[in-house]
Amino acid sequence: MNASIHLLNGNNAGQRVELTTETVRMGRHPDCEVVIDASSVSRFHARLIRDGDQYLIEDLKSRNGTYVNGQRVEGTVPLRDNDRVKICETLLVYNGIGSTSPSTGIPQRPEESDLQVEESEDNASATVLTSLDARRSSESFASVNPEAKLRAMIEISQAIGQTLELDALFPKILDSLFGIFPHADRAMLLIRDGNGRLIPRAVKHRRESEDTVRYSRTIVEAALDERKAILSADAASDERFAMSQSIAEFRIRSVMCAPLLAQDQDALGVIQIDTQSTHERFEEDDLQILVSVASQAAVSLLNAQMHEDVLRQQRTEQELAFARRVQTAFLPQEMPELDGYSFWAYYEAAGQVGGDYYDFVKLSNGNQAVILGDVSGKGVPAALMMSKVTSDTKVSLLSLADNPPEAMGRINNAICSAGLDDRFITMAICVIDPTTHKITMVNAGHMSPMILKLDGSVAEPAGDDIAGLPAGVMDDFDYESTEVVLEPGETVVLFSDGVDEAMNSKNEQYGLVRLREVVASGPRVPGELGPHILADVQKHVAGYKQSDDMTMVAFGRNAN
């Protein structure tokens, strides 16, 4: 995963920029890779420089400087995962290469990540503390002032009802809260990741000069654990939170926190909003409105997540469809033209892409090579290896046209040198000499080609006696070959194990025995024998979904 920069505020709040180049400029100029549209920002304010697996940040002699975690940048400074970058009033968070954490609004420095929940006895001297069961939000909300309720619902619906992108959704939720609660100073939204960690995804300040984004873990964890929204009218003197350092340090006078609950009451995260004003504190009606907003925000969050899942699946399907078109382009687009011979081929991947392949290569000595290979495994990894094998096979056969076994050895070494320890390929090569009609066969761990003879028998000349190891198993393996003379009217069939191992709904394989019988009883013309075999395989399968690619090639000498 590439490193990235996440903008937390300003005109592009919520934007995440992947860092894919060696140098990334940040500034006001539109040519910058990260554009920060603010008059106080220099045209080319700072830049990120890739250094191995990390990025360094350098201030480009800007007027107002660049800061990392509150420290002014002098020279170049290495960035760590979740470091906070400040450029004038704009806050950004850096996620390093390979980071599994989403970009967040809060740097996870040790003093913040180590905050603990402080518990104390509730007593009469405590300032008024209200909690509201977030699981019963619809019941409690009915008692709120109807105009406030209507305004809150319209605000939140208009702001986030049509938003399906997560990065745009989170800032909109906070913008709506600031519209509903004009006396709020700060708001933040924290979402649980797959490991249950709270990840801040958006922050908002009433005062542009303020860049503090720390939150009270004491209040947040109380809201999450109890599935209750919390209101403290004067958090600074509330004995329930007396030991909380963040409340004291950041002059939080009144705070509300509401969990985002899914339908199964699973806590997705929280919204926290606070004010520093001693005159305008949050009331219980405010808390009830926040609970309703949190409820709708949770629904929007789940909808946005489902939307992203659908888009991700669509992108995957589109990419696989494109990969299938690319892979199909590697296969021969037409049959060879060889005097006295005819050819037929069939290919069907079990998934969008597959690891089987076949090819026809016209050699420099006038001979015609016919190749069928089967890469171990299936899907995208097998397809990628297949593309490499296609190239290596052509180069090797063209370079060693007079020596097919040595060409097979070179193919083997090329695959071994790729260092793919868990990948190999079985392959059968038939080289046709159109002058002598000799067929030279080389077998690298594959099934022997079947020859339908004139007397109706089926020969398998490249069986275990000459079969070598699959290509990619061992360097410098010496392959053998065998030669047969193809008589007029005889046909050769090459196939992958997706044919003989084709399975029906009863988990019964098609099998080599049945394949031999069908070949023996079939027509002698490749263009008829191939479809004859395929039809019988499909009859056996009867529509049952296959787990392996299926490939066949047939070629034969025309009858006189």
Side-chain angles (χ1 to χ4, degrees), residues 202-218:
V203 295
K204 187 173 179 65
H205 303 283
R206 182 75 64 184
R207 299 174 179 86
E208 290 297 329
S209 60
E210 186 173 1
D211 66 352
T212 300
V213 289
R214 200 183 296 183
Y215 68 94
S216 169
R217 189 177 292 263
T218 304

Side-chain angles (χ1 to χ4, degrees), residues 396-408:
S396 299
L397 285 169
L398 290 171
S399 301
L400 297 164
D402 296 323
N403 195 335
E406 189 174 341
M408 186 70 249

